[in-house]
Each structure stands twice: as C-alpha cells, then as structure tokens.
C-alpha cells in the first residue's frame, strides 16, 4: 500500500504559480517587445518553410503563435488601462 507524502496542490496555488511565472516573463521586457519578437520568430519560421518542406502541423503552430500574440495584446491593453 502506498501513502501520499504530500497533498495535491490546490487550484489556487497552481494559479498563483502560473501568475508568478507570467510576472517573471513580463519583467524581461514589455508586451510590445514580446509581440515584435514573436512576429520576427514566426516570420523567420515561415520564410524557412520552403527549405524545411511541408509541415502538417503548420496550422497548429500558427494557432499557437496567434494565441501568444493575442495574450501579449491583452497584457498591453491591461497595462494601458492601469
């Protein structure tokens, strides 16, 4: 029989941990800079597609990119409203 050595984390503590990580990420540079860098990364990726060949996950990668840009756009708007 196995016994648990620790209690599972509460949803609140997980959210707090995520919030801490996001705070650290946003302390590195502004949301505007993150957006510019994401566009540069994705543009380079798209330009390299000709050399790399077909990627069946391209639509999924674009969706992830779009979601990240939208996240930083929301952060930018939140900071502007504060």
């Amino acid at each position: 029989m196995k016994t648990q050595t620790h209690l599972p984390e509460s949803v609140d503590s997980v959210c707090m941990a995520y919030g801490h990580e996001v705070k650290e990420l946003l302390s590195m540079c502004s949301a505007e800079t993150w957006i510019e860098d994401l566009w540069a990364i994705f543009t380079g990726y798209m330009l390299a597609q000709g050399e790399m060949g077909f990627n069946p996950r391209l639509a999924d990668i674009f969706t992830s990119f779009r979601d990240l840009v939208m996240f930083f756009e929301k952060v930018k708007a939140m900071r502007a409203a504060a």
Side-chain angles (χ1 to χ4, degrees), residues 16-71:
M16 292 292 289
Y18 285 153
H20 177 74
E21 292 300 317
V22 169
K23 181 180 176 185
E24 290 293 316
L25 181 72
L26 294 173
S27 72
M28 293 178 196
C29 58
S30 69
E32 292 86 357
T33 301
W34 278 108
I35 293 167
E36 290 173 15
D37 290 350
L38 285 169
W39 274 112
I41 292 165
F42 190 73
T43 300
Y45 175 76
M46 290 306 296
L47 290 172
Q49 281 300 297
E51 296 175 18
M52 296 186 319
F54 174 74
N55 184 345
R57 291 200 59 248
L58 185 58
D60 295 331
I61 292 167
F62 173 76
T63 301
S64 297
F65 162 76
R66 183 199 64 202
D67 291 347
L68 279 169
V69 169
M70 289 172 57
F71 169 79

